[in-house]
Amino acid sequence: MENQHVMIGFVSSAELILLGALFLPGAISAIPAYIILSRVPPRFRRLHPRQALYLLIPLLWLVANFLVHPKVARSVGDFARDRGQTDFGDGGASLARLFSICVLAGLLRYVGLLFLVVGYVLLAVLYTRLFSMCARLSQSALPGADSFA
């Protein structure tokens, strides 16, 4: 009888770990996307911030990566171009597409882990760039910010 309780506890622990493993990749990419979209004015958003939370749905995030991250980058790019910043290029949309491709390639056998590592490095570079651009744009929106340039 005691052995049966231990086995039930082990199974439910394994299920929780599996659920966390399915939820974690989406959370890693959904939280920064939500924050960035919240900082972009509504008229420049190509996506509502709550739609970034689609990345939290296990396995759907594999497809949602292709939709969410490029639109987040384009939203920041549009906001930057409106503020006169032309050095931002495509806003990081190409980095976002590369991340999405790397995550999908992460399902490949043997080399998948390498693609996942490269993909999440690209995601870190993308959102570092987007956060710095948002900070620069919010500083330029402050009164008297042009006098320091």
Side-chain angles (χ1 to χ4, degrees):
M1 178 115 172
E2 187 176 317
N3 244 354
Q4 192 176 20
H5 291 293
V6 171
M7 189 56 114
I8 290 172
F10 176 73
V11 170
S12 58
S13 298
E15 289 170 350
L16 286 175
I17 290 171
L18 179 64
L19 185 62
L22 289 173
F23 182 74
L24 187 64
I28 289 172
S29 59
I31 293 168
Y34 180 85
I35 293 170
I36 291 288
L37 283 171
S38 297
R39 293 181 180 182
V40 174
R43 66 184 174 134
F44 298 110
R45 290 183 194 152
R46 294 183 179 227
L47 197 66
H48 194 276
R50 284 183 294 203
Q51 289 176 316
L53 299 179
Y54 289 146
L55 295 168
L56 294 175
I57 301 171
L59 300 180
L60 178 65
W61 66 272
L62 289 171
V63 176
N65 281 327
F66 285 97
L67 304 173
V68 172
H69 298 298
K71 287 185 179 185
V72 171
R74 284 191 203 107
S75 298
V76 175
D78 291 346
F79 182 40
R81 276 187 285 286
D82 185 66
R83 293 290 172 112
Q85 305 265 343
T86 57
D87 61 341
F88 198 52
D90 66 350
S94 57
L95 275 177
R97 281 190 298 275
L98 279 173
F99 163 72
S100 303
I101 291 168
C102 284
V103 167
L104 211 62
L107 297 175
L108 294 174
R109 196 173 190 180
Y110 304 119
V111 294
L113 185 61
L114 176 67
F115 280 112
L116 283 175
V117 169
V118 169
Y120 280 102
V121 167
L122 287 172
L123 185 72
V125 169
L126 171 69
Y127 280 104
T128 301
R129 185 175 181 197
L130 292 177
F131 274 112
S132 68
M133 180 55 78
C134 281
R136 198 165 54 172
L137 290 171
S138 66
Q139 285 177 353
S140 69
L142 297 173
D146 293 335
S147 62
F148 295 109

